[in-house]
Amino acid sequence: MATCEYDSELYECSFSEKYILPACKYFDQSAIADFIKDSLFIVPWAGVIHLLSIALLGGAILMVDMRVLGSGIRSQTPHQINQVVRPITIAALALAILSGATMAFGELMKLYYSPPYWMKMGSLAGAILFTYGVRNRAIKTDATLGKMGWVLAGISLTLWIGTFTALSNTMAQFALLLLLIALGAFAWFGRDPINAAERSSIRLKLISAASIVMWLTTAAAGRWIAFY
Amino acid sequence: MQDFLAWMNETPWSIALRESFFVWPLIEATHVLTIMLFVGTIFMVDLRLLGLAFRKVAVSEITSKILPWTIAGFGLMVITGLLLFYAKPLVYYHNLFFRLKLLILIVAMGNILFFHKRVQSGVNGWDLSSAIPKSARASAVISICSWILIVVAGRMIAYDWFDCEKLEQGGLLNSLASCPNSQISMLVTE
């Protein structure tokens, strides 16, 4: 809790009301926000770039995770595939964040009061931490995470669980739960390469399944902003 | 066509779907999110064909392992897309961006057919080669461009810049959107 002031009177308020709301109000009245709001085309085109970068990011992430789960390219190790797609994921993520920020500047105050937006931000932070701090490390070391890896896994999974439980839509929760079960089953029963040396451990498979679910949760929460 | 879609628009399931609080957003979100599976994986295959990624992976391997996922994504997109159309047939039928999207979709489908019939049949000769035939590279470029344009057109469907009531009666865009007379136009707007 924090202390806010209104009409010279002090009252107890939340951290976000004290610090984030004034920042949103400030940026909402900035010249760049006005420019974006006044333009007929910036937000629609930022939306297109956002979608395309999400597609690229999703495709690149799936290439690695499907390989780990036993259904992707088998002539390369997951680490080799990850090295190929790493620049693609970084570029796509940068583009998605840039285009997302552009769209956000067009409706900052609406987003401040939008639970799906904060869910998306939480899930996005979790997905980035998990992908770059946990999954990539696990792929390189065949699921040996180390202390830092476990800490990051804990933080990112907490962020994801927070997002999942905060989803106000029961059907969205149900759909994600179904996906989680399907991916868990896929990790367990998934077709593996015949060569045992190419097979990923069950822990690595579960990490890849979690990676897919985290990115999908982020994208789903992002889409939900429009419906809220 | 107009009469059939007007009838479809008034069927109980169509009304229930477009007025649904949860199902419509869920179908729409699934349609949009499948982009990660469908367009994302197709981009990966195209990048391989252009020699920009996965150069050590045989083209035949990437098409046999990845394209089934692309097809699954496409199937999900078609099913959800048809349901979305069923919920608001008149709105989409008269939407210029929707029509553009369908046109580009035909080009993309034609390119896929060309790829399977002409390009993929001779893949053994250049499976792991860095010298990828021009036809394969051309097919990849057409594929990337057409799916980008489909995403552009799909996103723009949400905007009302070219809705019938905003188009000049008897104008070119009005004709291209097959805009109905003013009475039906009100129905479309609703």
Side-chain angles (χ1 to χ4, degrees):
Chain A
M1 293 296 278
T3 308
C4 297
E5 189 184 334
Y6 181 74
D7 251 2
S8 307
E9 277 193 32
L10 298 175
Y11 66 97
E12 280 203 338
C13 59
S14 64
F15 173 86
S16 65
E17 200 180 338
K18 169 97 176 171
Y19 298 105
I20 301 176
L21 181 60
C24 285
K25 281 181 178 167
Y26 173 78
F27 285 115
D28 188 51
Q29 285 157 14
S30 64
I32 188 162
D34 282 344
F35 179 71
I36 290 169
K37 279 185 263 190
D38 289 343
S39 166
L40 194 63
F41 299 106
I42 291 179
V43 170
W45 281 103
V48 166
I49 293 167
H50 201 61
L51 271 180
L52 287 170
S53 51
I54 286 170
L56 200 58
L57 181 68
I61 279 170
L62 280 173
M63 290 296 282
V64 181
D65 288 333
M66 295 317 290
R67 166 65 180 89
V68 171
L69 290 170
S71 185
I73 296 163
R74 291 175 185 179
S75 63
Q76 306 279 299
T77 64
H79 180 55
Q80 285 171 322
I81 298 172
N82 201 27
Q83 279 183 313
V84 173
V85 301
R86 202 178 153 90
I88 301 175
T89 56
I90 291 171
L93 191 59
L95 213 56
I97 291 173
L98 206 66
S99 54
T102 306
M103 286 193 289
F105 261 80
E107 48 178 16
L108 271 175
M109 293 317 295
K110 182 196 159 192
L111 292 180
Y112 174 78
Y113 293 107
S114 163
Y117 176 73
W118 294 108
M119 276 187 246
K120 180 184 176 174
M121 290 299 110
S123 183
L124 176 65
I128 292 173
L129 274 182
F130 191 81
T131 302
Y132 294 100
V134 181
R135 189 197 70 153
N136 287 2
R137 189 190 301 245
I139 282 169
K140 199 173 176 182
T141 59
D142 198 22
T144 309
L145 291 178
K147 268 186 190 170
M148 183 53 83
W150 282 109
V151 169
L152 290 174
I155 296 171
S156 48
L157 284 171
T158 306
L159 280 167
W160 178 77
I161 290 167
T163 308
F164 178 77
T165 47
L167 280 173
S168 54
N169 188 327
T170 316
M171 281 190 80
Q173 281 180 332
F174 181 66
L176 267 176
L177 212 57
L178 267 184
L179 183 77
L180 199 64
I181 292 166
L183 282 171
F186 197 61
W188 195 263
F189 301 110
R191 289 175 298 141
D192 257 1
I194 300 161
N195 184 352
E198 292 173 13
R199 198 172 297 157
S200 301
S201 65
I202 186 70
R203 190 198 286 176
L204 187 55
K205 284 181 172 187
L206 289 173
I207 287 172
S208 270
S211 152
I212 294 175
V213 174
M214 277 189 183
W215 283 110
L216 201 68
T217 309
T218 307
R223 193 66 205 114
W224 225 254
I225 295 170
F227 300 123
Y228 192 78
Chain B
M1 183 63 119
Q2 171 79 44
D3 292 342
F4 172 69
L5 295 177
W7 167 80
M8 186 193 277
N9 194 57
E10 295 308 312
T11 55
W13 281 89
S14 175
I15 296 168
L17 201 53
R18 69 173 167 268
E19 289 180 356
S20 157
F21 194 68
F22 287 130
V23 181
W24 162 266
L26 206 63
I27 293 171
E28 205 266 7
T30 308
H31 188 70
V32 175
L33 297 188
T34 312
I35 201 173
M36 293 166 92
L37 179 63
F38 173 56
V39 181
T41 52
I42 221 166
F43 277 175
M44 295 300 126
V45 176
D46 290 335
L47 287 177
R48 170 62 187 96
L49 287 173
L50 290 171
L52 296 173
F54 307 108
R55 279 190 286 260
K56 289 178 184 166
V57 180
V59 172
S60 58
E61 186 186 9
I62 208 163
T63 52
S64 65
K65 300 293 180 199
I66 303 304
L67 282 185
W69 288 100
T70 312
I71 293 165
F74 184 67
L76 199 56
M77 275 206 141
V78 169
I79 292 167
T80 49
L82 285 173
L83 284 170
L84 293 176
F85 182 81
Y86 173 64
K88 297 179 182 177
L90 286 173
V91 172
Y92 291 124
Y93 178 70
H94 294 294
N95 187 297
L96 274 178
F97 285 118
F98 180 76
R99 291 178 169 219
L100 185 64
K101 185 179 173 178
L102 288 188
L103 269 179
I104 309 165
L105 197 60
I106 292 169
V107 174
M109 291 289 110
N111 183 53
I112 288 173
L113 271 181
F114 171 77
F115 178 77
H116 283 292
K117 295 271 179 197
R118 294 285 180 87
V119 181
Q120 216 176 9
S121 58
V123 75
N124 288 339
W126 48 273
D127 212 4
L128 265 167
S129 164
S130 55
I132 296 162
K134 270 186 184 170
S135 58
R137 278 184 284 154
S139 178
V141 169
I142 294 170
S143 167
I144 288 177
C145 291
S146 52
W147 292 114
I148 286 176
L149 288 173
I150 285 169
V151 171
V152 172
R155 185 70 198 93
M156 297 302 174
I157 288 173
Y159 295 94
D160 61 357
W161 305 321
F162 300 113
D163 277 5
C164 279
E165 68 271 22
K166 295 195 171 179
L167 300 176
E168 187 192 339
Q169 284 275 335
L172 176 67
L173 293 178
N174 192 290
S175 313
L176 286 174
S178 308
C179 287
N181 61 42
S182 54
Q183 266 187 328
I184 302 173
S185 182
M186 281 172 67
L187 184 68
V188 173
T189 313
E190 282 166 20

